[in-house]
Amino acid sequence: MKVDFNIDIHHLPRVEGHGDIRISVRDGKLVDAKWAVVETPRFFEVMVKGLSAERVPFLTSRICGICSISHSLASIRSLERAMQITPPETARIIRLLAMHGETLQSHALHLFFLAAPDFAGTPSAVPLLQSHPEVVEAGLMLKELGNELSIATTGRATHPVSLVLGGVSKAPSKQRLAEIKQMIVDRKPMLDKATEFFKTLTIPDFVRETEFISLFDGESYPYIGGDLVTTDGVRRDENDYLAMTNEYTVEFATTKFTKVSRESSAAGALARFNNNYDLLHPQAKAAAEAFGLKPVCHNPFMNNVAQLVECHHLVADAEEIIDCLLDDDLRDIKADYKPRAGAATGAVEAPRGVLYHYMETDENGKVVKGDCIIPTTQNNANIHYDLHALAEQALAQGKGEKEVEKLCEMLVRSYDPCISCSVH
Amino acid sequence: MNHLGFDIEKLKIGSFDFTCCEGCQLQLANKESTLPEFLALLDIRNFREISSERLDDYDIALVEGSITRQDEVERLKAIRAQAKVLVAYGTCACFGGMNAQKNKFDKEECIRTVYGDKEIDTMQESHKISDFVKVDYSIPGCPVNKEEVERIVVSIATRSPISLPKYPVCVECKQRLNTCLFDLGEVCLGPISRAGCDAVCPSGKTVCLGCRGPADDINYDSFVQLVREHGLSEDEMKEKLAFYNGFAEYLNHEG
């Protein structure tokens, strides 16, 4: 049978930013599959030029509304390393808790409100309020827990207030930390309930081998700083980020593409999982086992499961970090510093994967050069080539236009892309 | 639904994003404790970030982001033509936002720095949406304050008057018993910026950068005097005034 169709999804819904999926099929054969990002560019790397270093994290955190804490901390880390500032240990722990809060709210938003409707066959999470109220409720409660962690540690859920060069400007109150610890204890059962729900969903069977890139320090599951590693065995220093990204432009997208050893590579929850499985909290490992998720997994749809596994890690680890802070006097939270000339990279694991900010300062502490490489930028090429392979596989299985379209949408969403951030 | 004894029709609402981080739209999904009630007020017709459904018969359009490309102007005009009420949502939409920091650089330099030789379509300046269409209400903030959004949306639903605080951030900062950041040696825009954020930044011991723009009837000369009296840097003051583009008209003002 002659099968001809074009799929042209303009501004893919339930992702952040504007991206199109373009696929054409002639005589049942795939002719073209593109991941075309059409977002407007914003030029943050130009905007930082001439700005005081201490103001930069407030600017760069506006690259993304979902992972503003990661952007703030990537800038802070790069500038602290450039200007040789060592933040106090207490500030380091508070920052880590802030990252946990952000990742938890981001993962909950993606899993329950952006991805779950795909699996349930609904256009949004709103119908799920009727059909699966307990799941939506669990999602909201986990997302709120993430936001409460962020508010307690940074002053606000989106665009942090108290993350500054040298440490943090204000420590969380012990009373608030104790309240959040209780919130964690109360909400853990909801995470278990949500896990039961996700176990009932069918994950599409699709594998395209790729190279997964993440941070790695060998001591703890990675969030702030460390070496850069890939599942193909590459290991580099944080400052060598260009060797791990190799950015290039493509004609059909306003975002850039990257690669390491192959035609594309992937960052994100699944990449972190694949590179750092041994460092996960035992409760998270148990959740992974329940889904049969083991490293190295090459099914991109399993990124959703890896995010859920990470939620278990985040909640368990946040509880331990809060205990640590409750034993601290929370006084030594910010180091003094003088501006100086320097250059360095700050890498953090944002919810969607490794995020690099490179900054150069002059002797007055003004930024003279900046470079930001966002996780979705590192996933774009992988999404692009995955789309091609997935569409071919689906056509070979005799799937029709609507099924191919749905699978392709789900595939892109499984990466939890943050497109407006990738065009920065 | 019923609110204060009035029967209210659900608001047919659309949410649209232009050049921005989408952090303001994200606020609609925050404040989880009131979210189901807030959603009950709304009939979401078009909200790409959370729903695949796209219907074009909305009455209210929340527009987020600044305008930086010609195709955005066309899209914005089409939204204006459909909407009975258009709300500029967040600092980028209200003032051009921190996206406007690129305005001081030549467009070609911006493109070359980020994209090298690749051709990229972009305007020289980041524009506020009122540069192109009539705006009925503005909700400033980077990001918007969800409580204020809820208040304004409920006011639209109940046809109640809508207003933003006229007074500066200092009022709210004092209510929270914070130490004044000027006394800690910092230039803070709290004395001249519009309140409504509950002084969230100074309460976290960082300065106000004026994301909500100028308060009504500000005394700019007195503010400059305050900076001078404290022996603080006027360059730093100007960097902060330029941060969100809300004080563009004051930047070349001789205080």
Side-chain angles (χ1 to χ4, degrees), chain A residues 9-18 38-52 54-55 58-59 61-66 105 109 113-114 117 122-126 129 137 140-141 143-144 147 155-159 161-164 169-170 249-256 366 409 413 420-421 423-424, chain B residues 17-24 26-27 29-33 35-36 39 44 47-54 66 68-69 71-72 75 92 98-102 104-107 109-116 118 120-123 142-143 176 178 186 197 200-207 209 211 235-236 239-240 243-244:
Chain A
I9 299 161
H10 185 57
H11 293 183
L12 175 69
R14 282 189 278 118
V15 297
E16 205 218 19
H18 302 102
V38 294
E39 182 71 44
T40 50
R42 287 192 289 162
F43 304 104
F44 274 87
E45 287 140 327
V46 182
M47 289 194 255
V48 295
K49 284 200 280 187
L51 206 61
S52 303
E54 59 177 328
R55 218 86 56 229
F58 295 97
L59 181 82
S61 68
R62 269 73 187 176
I63 292 175
C64 181
I66 297 181
Q105 69 82 19
L109 176 71
F113 302 96
L114 307 182
T122 57
S124 74
V126 176
L129 270 169
E137 170 85 350
L140 279 173
M141 298 288 257
K143 186 169 160 302
E144 183 179 56
N147 279 333
R156 185 159 60 188
T158 304
H159 301 328
V161 163
S162 53
L163 299 178
V164 295
S169 58
K170 190 175 183 181
T249 58
V250 291
E251 150 281 313
F252 51 86
T254 48
T255 182
K256 292 181 200 169
K366 300 268 186 194
E409 281 204 23
R413 247 177 242 125
S420 62
C421 318
V423 180
H424 48 273
Chain B
D17 43 66
F18 289 86
T19 302
C20 62
C21 75
E22 300 189 15
C24 290
L26 186 67
Q27 301 316 307
N30 281 348
K31 206 158 166 278
E32 292 80 358
S33 53
L35 188 62
L39 285 176
I44 296 174
F47 192 167
R48 184 196 51 79
E49 201 179 6
I50 60 161
S51 177
S52 306
E53 216 158 37
R54 294 185 213 192
S66 63
T68 66
R69 206 166 60 191
D71 63 327
E72 293 191 311
R75 211 176 121 231
C92 292
M98 38 103 272
N99 290 331
Q101 292 203 37
K102 75 158 191 163
K104 62 186 179 225
F105 298 94
D106 178 59
K107 171 177 121 172
E109 182 191 343
C110 290
I111 295 170
R112 203 169 43 248
T113 304
V114 176
Y115 289 99
K118 182 180 160 69
I120 285 283
D121 185 11
T122 187
M123 289 176 175
C142 184
R176 293 188 66 171
N178 296 325
E186 304 255 20
C197 54
V200 64
C201 294
S203 300
K205 260 188 158 180
T206 55
V207 296
L209 291 171
C211 71
D235 283 347
E236 191 179 322
E239 185 175 277
K240 289 173 178 171
F243 200 83
Y244 288 110

Side-chain angles (χ1 to χ4, degrees), chain A residues 355-403:
Chain A
L355 165 66
Y356 304 102
H357 285 195
Y358 166 84
M359 298 284 163
E360 255 178 69
T361 55
D362 66 14
E363 64 277 15
N364 300 314
K366 300 268 186 194
V367 169
V368 292
K369 192 177 175 195
D371 188 17
C372 308
I373 301 183
I374 273 74
T376 294
T377 302
Q378 298 164 64
N379 281 331
N380 278 320
N382 223 56
I383 294 172
H384 181 74
Y385 291 111
D386 268 3
L387 268 181
H388 201 278
L390 178 67
E392 271 189 336
Q393 176 183 303
L395 289 169
Q397 290 167 346
K399 291 194 162 67
E401 180 177 348
K402 284 289 151 215
E403 284 171 293

Side-chain angles (χ1 to χ4, degrees), chain B:
Chain B
M1 71 167 286
N2 186 284
H3 178 78
L4 299 175
F6 293 93
D7 278 328
I8 303 165
E9 245 181 81
K10 277 190 174 195
L11 294 175
K12 286 185 181 172
I13 200 162
S15 174
F16 304 91
D17 43 66
F18 289 86
T19 302
C20 62
C21 75
E22 300 189 15
C24 290
Q25 285 187 80
L26 186 67
Q27 301 316 307
L28 285 181
N30 281 348
K31 206 158 166 278
E32 292 80 358
S33 53
T34 58
L35 188 62
E37 271 187 343
F38 181 61
L39 285 176
L41 259 183
L42 309 177
D43 176 3
I44 296 174
R45 311 297 285 172
N46 200 318
F47 192 167
R48 184 196 51 79
E49 201 179 6
I50 60 161
S51 177
S52 306
E53 216 158 37
R54 294 185 213 192
L55 303 163
D56 285 332
D57 60 338
Y58 49 86
D59 296 329
I60 298 170
L62 300 179
V63 177
E64 186 196 9
S66 63
I67 304 298
T68 66
R69 206 166 60 191
Q70 194 56 40
D71 63 327
E72 293 191 311
V73 178
E74 310 313 319
R75 211 176 121 231
L76 177 63
K77 285 182 175 167
I79 292 165
R80 173 71 269 186
Q82 168 60 36
K84 290 181 186 143
V85 176
L86 188 143
V87 183
Y89 190 61
T91 298
C92 292
C94 293
F95 306 118
M98 38 103 272
N99 290 331
Q101 292 203 37
K102 75 158 191 163
N103 297 359
K104 62 186 179 225
F105 298 94
D106 178 59
K107 171 177 121 172
E108 301 306 323
E109 182 191 343
C110 290
I111 295 170
R112 203 169 43 248
T113 304
V114 176
Y115 289 99
D117 295 335
K118 182 180 160 69
E119 282 187 22
I120 285 283
D121 185 11
T122 187
M123 289 176 175
Q124 170 59 43
E125 296 204 343
S126 167
H127 292 271
K128 55 185 183 291
I129 61 172
S130 64
D131 285 350
F132 303 103
V133 295
K134 177 174 170 275
V135 169
D136 299 304
Y137 301 108
S138 293
I139 310 180
C142 184
V144 291
N145 177 346
K146 175 73 184 293
E147 284 174 18
E148 187 167 79
V149 175
E150 287 184 357
R151 178 172 66 79
I152 289 176
V153 170
V154 169
S155 296
I156 293 173
T158 54
R159 295 172 180 78
S160 310
I162 294 168
S163 67
L164 297 174
K166 294 177 169 28
Y167 46 85
V169 170
C170 285
V171 173
E172 290 171 345
C173 198
K174 291 280 176 281
Q175 284 169 344
R176 293 188 66 171
L177 306 176
N178 296 325
T179 303
C180 177
L181 288 164
F182 274 96
D183 291 339
L184 298 175
E186 304 255 20
V187 178
C188 176
L189 302 193
I192 52 172
S193 300
R194 189 182 299 281
C197 54
D198 202 18
V200 64
C201 294
S203 300
K205 260 188 158 180
T206 55
V207 296
C208 170
L209 291 171
C211 71
R212 293 172 58 85
D216 288 6
D217 300 325
I218 60 170
N219 189 340
Y220 182 75
D221 292 345
S222 172
F223 172 71
V224 175
Q225 193 57 34
L226 181 70
V227 172
R228 284 180 186 151
E229 275 169 12
H230 280 76
L232 299 170
S233 158
E234 286 188 39
D235 283 347
E236 191 179 322
M237 176 188 82
K238 284 186 176 158
E239 185 175 277
K240 289 173 178 171
L241 287 168
F243 200 83
Y244 288 110
N245 211 38
F247 291 88
E249 62 187 289
Y250 294 94
L251 273 177
N252 297 315
H253 181 98
E254 291 300 322

Side-chain angles (χ1 to χ4, degrees), chain A residues 45-228:
Chain A
E45 287 140 327
V46 182
M47 289 194 255
V48 295
K49 284 200 280 187
L51 206 61
S52 303
E54 59 177 328
R55 218 86 56 229
V56 166
F58 295 97
L59 181 82
T60 52
S61 68
R62 269 73 187 176
I63 292 175
C64 181
I66 297 181
C67 54
S68 51
I69 289 175
S70 295
H71 279 280
S72 178
L73 288 174
S75 275
I76 286 172
R77 183 170 169 83
S78 67
L79 290 161
E80 284 179 348
R81 279 154 57 89
M83 300 206 289
Q84 297 175 31
I85 304 165
T86 308
E89 177 63 8
T90 301
R92 191 191 70 77
I93 298 169
I94 293 169
R95 288 171 176 179
L96 181 60
L97 191 57
M99 289 285 287
H100 280 17
E102 173 175 278
T103 308
L104 185 61
Q105 69 82 19
S106 176
H107 281 2
L109 176 71
H110 174 73
L111 285 166
F112 295 90
F113 302 96
L114 307 182
D118 273 334
F119 293 98
T122 57
S124 74
V126 176
L128 293 180
L129 270 169
Q130 304 299 324
S131 61
H132 296 80
E134 72 293 345
V135 176
V136 178
E137 170 85 350
L140 279 173
M141 298 288 257
L142 291 168
K143 186 169 160 302
E144 183 179 56
L145 175 60
N147 279 333
E148 288 298 325
L149 277 165
S150 301
I151 294 166
T153 47
T154 78
R156 185 159 60 188
T158 304
H159 301 328
V161 163
S162 53
L163 299 178
V164 295
L165 288 191
V168 290
S169 58
K170 190 175 183 181
S173 80
K174 287 204 177 181
Q175 189 195 336
R176 192 76 199 110
L177 287 171
E179 286 167 6
I180 292 177
K181 189 182 166 186
Q182 188 57 47
M183 213 183 256
I184 291 175
V185 173
D186 293 344
R187 294 183 185 192
K188 265 187 180 170
M190 294 177 189
L191 183 53
D192 292 332
K193 197 179 272 181
T195 306
E196 289 307 313
F197 167 73
F198 279 98
K199 274 196 320 213
T200 66
L201 305 176
T202 307
I203 308 279
D205 186 15
F206 168 70
V207 166
R208 186 181 73 92
E209 283 213 8
T210 193
E211 183 173 23
F212 291 97
I213 179 166
S214 76
L215 292 176
F216 177 83
D217 66 10
E219 287 173 13
S220 55
Y221 200 75
Y223 284 98
I224 304 176
D227 281 352
L228 315 171

